């Protein structure tokens, strides 16, 4: 709020517009932690409107939060598009962590659409991207793979992914899934 107040009455040049976009990304991310879909949607759109085209990092985050907002609304086509754009931008900027987050989101959309083979490939891509890094967020990929392999009646693999998911979530302070 203080940053926005400081911008009042300033010339709307590229630098100022980009700052307005960065503030909107921060607001969208904060709304995500509170599951405020409408706020996430509005602030993500505002961010994409104002951010400089070369600000790949913030544009990546704005597309990711947009994908989450669309997911919460049940608009899977729009969510898929936003996650795909976030993946593209994050790869272009070398942001592996957001690539992982957006790829998890894409996998969840595919799973919801019952595209199980495609979702399993997407979740496997998450595990490949993470490699040996101890990223707790990949529990989502293991959880998705556990659900899918369970549906395919591959109970041993489902249990393995379930155990990996459990191990990762036990390392976290809080899990909201």
């Amino acid at each position: 709020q203080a940053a926005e107040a400081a911008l009042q009455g300033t010339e709307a040049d590229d630098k100022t517009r980009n700052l307005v976009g960065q503030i909107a990304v921060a607001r969208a991310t904060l709304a995500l932690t509170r599951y405020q879909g409408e706020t996430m949607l509005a602030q993500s759109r505002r961010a994409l409107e104002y951010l400089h085209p070369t600000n790949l990092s913030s544009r990546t985050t704005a597309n990711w939060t947009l994908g989450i907002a669309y997911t919460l609304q049940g608009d899977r086509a729009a969510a898929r598009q936003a996650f795909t754009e976030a993946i593209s931008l994050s790869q272009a900027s070398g942001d592996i962590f957001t690539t992982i987050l957006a790829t998890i989101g894409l996998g969840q959309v595919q799973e919801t659409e019952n595209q199980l083979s495609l979702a399993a490939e997407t979740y496997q891509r998450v595990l490949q991207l993470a490699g040996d890094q101890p990223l707790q967020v990949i529990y989502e990929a293991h959880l998705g793979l556990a659900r899918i392999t369970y549906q395919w009646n591959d109970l041993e693999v489902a249990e393995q992914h379930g155990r990996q998911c459990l191990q990762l979530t036990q390392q976290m302070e809080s899990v909201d899934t």
Side-chain angles (χ1 to χ4, degrees):
Q1 289 173 342
E4 287 175 325
L7 289 175
Q8 293 296 322
T10 61
E11 184 181 335
D13 60 6
D14 281 350
K15 189 174 182 178
T16 304
R17 288 182 57 80
N18 192 59
L19 189 53
V20 169
Q22 289 175 322
I23 292 167
V25 168
R27 288 186 179 279
T29 304
L30 182 60
L32 183 146
T33 65
R34 298 177 179 161
Y35 295 97
Q36 297 170 335
E38 289 299 321
T39 302
M40 285 171 41
L41 191 61
Q43 292 299 322
S44 298
R45 287 177 175 161
R46 179 178 170 93
L48 292 170
E49 178 184 343
Y50 282 90
L51 287 168
H52 194 275
T54 61
N55 189 342
L56 298 182
S57 177
S58 293
R59 294 185 78 76
T60 296
T61 303
N63 275 288
W64 174 64
T65 56
L66 187 62
I68 301 283
Y70 283 134
T71 300
L72 291 174
Q73 289 186 334
D75 189 344
R76 294 188 301 262
R80 184 182 326 101
Q81 183 177 354
F83 288 134
T84 300
E85 181 67 15
I87 292 166
S88 176
L89 291 170
S90 62
Q91 288 174 334
S93 67
D95 181 356
I96 297 296
F97 188 71
T98 308
T99 301
I100 288 171
L101 294 174
T103 304
I104 289 169
L106 179 61
Q108 291 169 334
V109 169
Q110 294 164 339
E111 187 180 353
T112 302
E113 292 179 330
N114 207 29
Q115 298 174 326
L116 300 184
S117 294
L118 189 56
E121 289 175 24
T122 302
Y123 290 138
Q124 286 293 344
R125 192 171 328 125
V126 167
L127 300 180
Q128 290 170 349
L129 286 167
D132 293 332
Q133 299 177 50
L135 299 175
Q136 295 164 339
V137 71
I138 66 168
Y139 80 88
E140 293 273 11
H142 284 295
L143 183 58
L145 286 166
R147 286 188 301 259
I148 291 168
T149 53
Y150 180 81
Q151 287 186 19
W152 290 342
N153 203 31
D154 191 343
L155 303 182
E156 185 176 320
V157 173
E159 182 179 8
Q160 288 171 1
H161 284 293
R163 288 185 187 280
Q164 288 174 305
C165 173
L166 179 62
Q167 180 184 25
L168 290 167
T169 57
Q170 287 176 333
Q171 297 171 17
M172 301 173 78
E173 289 183 27
S174 67
V175 178
D176 61 358
T177 300

